[in-house]
Amino acid sequence: MEPAPRVSLGVPLYNAERYLEGCLDALLAQDYPDFEIIISDNASTDRTWEICQRYAARDPRIRLYRNPRNFGGHVNYARVVELARGELFKWVAYDDVCLPAYLGTCVAALDAAGPHAVLAYPRTVLIDEAGEVIGPYADRLDLRDRRPWRRVAGVARNINLCHAHFGVFRMSALRRTGMIRPFLSSDYTLIAEVARLGEIHEVAEPLFLRRMHGASTRQAKDATPASALAWFGQTGKRVRAPRLRMLAETLRTLSTGSEPLGTRLSSAVAFLATWWARRVRVRLGRLRRRVPAWLGRLIRRRTSTAKGSA
């Protein structure tokens, strides 16, 4: 029996023909060679499976699986984890690009940090449909504090586009989580859960190219919460308060599990307090931008007058 690779790359797919070849070319060009690529196709109706078969014939590190029907994106994301053999694991989206040093840099970061670090990811550069650079994106999820509640608070304070979940995980930690769940922004819940388990390290090199394009589930101009649910295989359902749903699920997740009670409760409280403080800051910022300029001048004038008469 051949030895298991150090890293497993899980590629869940559905109708991915447009960018799939570029994605696979980038994975096969990694300068860290000890990996396998696990492809699980969710019964695509385009040329996705044909492309996968062609690449698998070229490189024995590619393992192919095809579902009899589309079970939903979250099921397929769990499927590639179930099939993985590596000590480390990375999810790969078909429309993103990993530069050649991606795997080696993240693996080296985890090795250097030791077992208390459970996830490493590189900095992100946004690209458009044609691969042209839009600009760097600051993920701000470098969470190296030894206190779980402080790491969880950092997730609630900074998480946005959530590229960290495409980083390199320790499989032992990832399999202790609920992974991607069937509700919107469940990647937030996952990263909060991972932060409770251990440190998250951001490496300085910009090695991840995140593609922003019209066919993206969440980035398309006409994307709505209801249309995004189709990715989970939940068509025709109404979406009520998706942010509150995410918050409730995250708090439930953080307050349960096998960790000590103090760790669970402090992590849940830290996420709740920091998340609401963030929402209040956002709302106040929007309110300030709506205040007419003349009212702003009036407030400043009255404030200066009051100080002068004090």
Side-chain angles (χ1 to χ4, degrees), residues 224-238:
T224 64
S227 66
L229 275 182
W231 186 83
F232 298 99
Q234 301 178 17
T235 57
K237 290 191 175 183
R238 295 182 61 185

Side-chain angles (χ1 to χ4, degrees), residues 131-201:
E132 297 296 324
V133 172
I134 298 172
Y137 182 84
D139 292 288
R140 300 195 302 274
L141 291 175
D142 188 63
L143 306 172
R144 308 191 185 206
D145 199 292
R146 293 300 180 94
R147 291 163 291 185
W149 70 269
R150 291 291 297 269
R151 299 193 299 264
V152 169
V155 174
R157 183 180 304 110
N158 295 320
I159 197 166
N160 197 353
L161 287 182
C162 196
H163 301 128
H165 83 280
F166 287 116
V168 177
F169 294 85
R170 292 196 190 278
M171 183 67 88
S172 58
L174 182 60
R175 283 183 168 152
R176 292 174 62 189
T177 73
M179 293 184 277
I180 301 298
R181 300 163 172 89
F183 59 88
L184 299 183
S185 299
S186 65
D187 47 356
Y188 286 25
T189 303
L190 168 64
I191 296 302
E193 193 174 12
V194 169
R196 188 185 67 177
L197 293 174
E199 294 183 4
I200 298 175
H201 285 217

Side-chain angles (χ1 to χ4, degrees), residues 183 185 188-190 192-193 245-255 268 271:
F183 59 88
S185 299
Y188 286 25
T189 303
L190 168 64
E193 193 174 12
R245 170 76 187 278
M246 180 280 296
L247 179 61
E249 294 284 357
T250 302
L251 295 179
R252 181 190 62 79
T253 297
L254 292 174
S255 60
F271 191 93

Side-chain angles (χ1 to χ4, degrees), residues 4 6 25 39 56 64 83 85 99 113 124 128 183 189 200 214 217 220 226 229-230 236 245 263 270 277 306:
R6 180 90 190 278
D25 286 339
I39 295 177
L64 298 184
L83 295 167
R85 299 179 297 155
L99 296 183
T124 299
D128 65 13
F183 59 88
T189 303
I200 298 175
T217 304
L229 275 182
R245 170 76 187 278
T263 298

Side-chain angles (χ1 to χ4, degrees), residues 51-128:
I51 295 170
C52 291
Q53 290 178 308
R54 176 156 44 86
Y55 273 79
R58 288 169 38 191
D59 197 307
R61 293 175 295 180
I62 299 177
R63 298 162 53 200
L64 298 184
Y65 301 87
R66 183 169 169 84
N67 297 325
R69 62 180 178 84
N70 187 345
F71 292 116
H74 67 294
V75 174
N76 217 19
Y77 266 64
R79 175 68 169 153
V80 292
V81 176
E82 293 169 2
L83 295 167
R85 299 179 297 155
E87 167 198 349
L88 306 175
F89 180 85
K90 169 180 164 47
W91 277 305
V92 180
Y94 80 97
D95 46 359
D96 298 328
V97 177
C98 298
L99 296 183
Y102 188 117
L103 280 187
T105 302
C106 289
V107 171
L110 289 175
D111 287 344
H116 56 269
V118 296
L119 170 61
Y121 73 95
R123 292 184 178 175
T124 299
V125 175
L126 303 180
I127 60 175
D128 65 13

